[in-house]
Amino acid sequence: MRAVLDVVMLALNIYTWLLIISAVLSWLIAFNVLNTRNQFVATVWDMLYRITEPVLRPIRNMLPNLGGIDISPIILLLGIFFIQRVIVLYLYPAVF
């Protein structure tokens, strides 16, 4: 059981980093620091979009319109941190 919890924690950590990289990359593309006509940038952006968008879309649908500000990654990160804390504080001690 402990191994399963370790795999879940690792997957949550990897997804956290993917969310952060996706947010930074979107800012760099929005401010024209990176050009999406570059094949490498376009491929990385498409991969990150396909990984993060299915989870972020329902959060965006529930949030009110805040203008041009997208806080859905922050809300998802808070949810991931909450799940990690529950695993560390309540599930790890219960497993021998």
Side-chain angles (χ1 to χ4, degrees):
M1 182 66 181
R2 179 108 181 184
V4 173
L5 292 176
D6 287 337
V7 169
V8 170
M9 289 291 287
L10 180 64
L12 289 173
N13 283 332
I14 291 172
Y15 201 79
T16 298
W17 282 108
L18 289 175
L19 277 171
I20 293 170
I21 292 168
S22 176
V24 170
L25 189 63
S26 71
W27 294 337
L28 292 175
I29 290 172
F31 293 122
N32 289 326
V33 175
L34 293 177
N35 190 353
T36 56
R37 284 184 264 166
N38 182 343
Q39 186 64 36
F40 178 74
V41 173
T43 304
V44 171
W45 175 246
D46 185 53
M47 185 229 14
L48 288 172
Y49 181 81
R50 288 175 188 248
I51 290 173
T52 58
E53 187 61 25
V55 180
L56 292 174
R57 189 178 306 121
I59 297 172
R60 285 189 189 120
N61 289 338
M62 291 189 312
L63 290 176
N65 187 7
L66 299 174
I69 300 172
D70 183 21
I71 61 168
S72 59
I74 296 170
I75 293 173
L76 182 58
L77 285 174
L78 289 173
I80 290 173
F81 294 151
F82 176 75
I83 292 170
Q84 287 177 334
R85 293 292 290 183
V86 167
I87 289 173
V88 169
L89 294 177
Y90 297 109
L91 297 179
Y92 269 161
V95 178
F96 299 146

